[in-house]
Amino acid sequence: MSATEAGLPAGIDAIHEPRSARMDQRTKPSVKASIEAAADLMGIEASAFVVMAAYARAQELLSSKQQTLLSRGDHQMLLAALDEHHPPTPALMEAWRLHQEQVVRSA
């Protein structure tokens, strides 16, 4: 059964690389039994179930931290603030100078 058929995101099936990395976990017997029972219901091995579920959750978490959702009002306020023209502050000028000195010139 594929990840999609199992009701999990298909992302892991789309990764074309060898399955060479190992992960070992310790858990309580009751947790293991629940995982195995759920995997049996889906017709997949427990290790595949754990990997698919953990990968799906990891993708959700990473995605939620890489995006910022704004309400319509907040979005309009952000765009209005970006449209305002203000001269750079002394702190911004210092940050730019340090960036040029430490990052651009060292590259």
Side-chain angles (χ1 to χ4, degrees), residues 5-43:
E5 293 168 332
L8 295 169
I12 199 164
D13 288 340
I15 299 172
H16 301 290
E17 61 187 23
R19 294 181 182 198
S20 58
R22 290 190 57 86
M23 296 178 68
D24 295 311
Q25 296 83 26
R26 296 276 179 218
T27 191
K28 297 175 181 180
S30 61
V31 172
K32 180 181 179 202
S34 292
I35 291 169
E36 290 172 339
D40 284 344
L41 287 173
M42 295 174 67

Side-chain angles (χ1 to χ4, degrees), residues 68-76 78-79:
T68 301
L69 299 177
L70 299 174
S71 68
R72 182 178 301 271
D74 288 343
H75 181 253
Q76 290 171 346
L78 173 63
L79 292 178

Side-chain angles (χ1 to χ4, degrees), residues 24-96:
D24 295 311
Q25 296 83 26
R26 296 276 179 218
T27 191
K28 297 175 181 180
S30 61
V31 172
K32 180 181 179 202
S34 292
I35 291 169
E36 290 172 339
D40 284 344
L41 287 173
M42 295 174 67
I44 60 176
E45 294 181 9
S47 61
F49 178 86
V50 169
V51 169
M52 286 190 305
Y55 182 72
R57 180 64 181 121
Q59 293 303 102
E60 289 172 13
L61 180 62
L62 293 170
S63 177
S64 74
K65 297 301 179 188
Q66 294 170 345
Q67 298 176 14
T68 301
L69 299 177
L70 299 174
S71 68
R72 182 178 301 271
D74 288 343
H75 181 253
Q76 290 171 346
M77 286 178 23
L78 173 63
L79 292 178
L82 291 173
D83 285 340
E84 292 179 15
H85 298 286
H86 295 285
T89 64
L92 181 58
M93 295 298 289
E94 176 63 11
W96 177 254

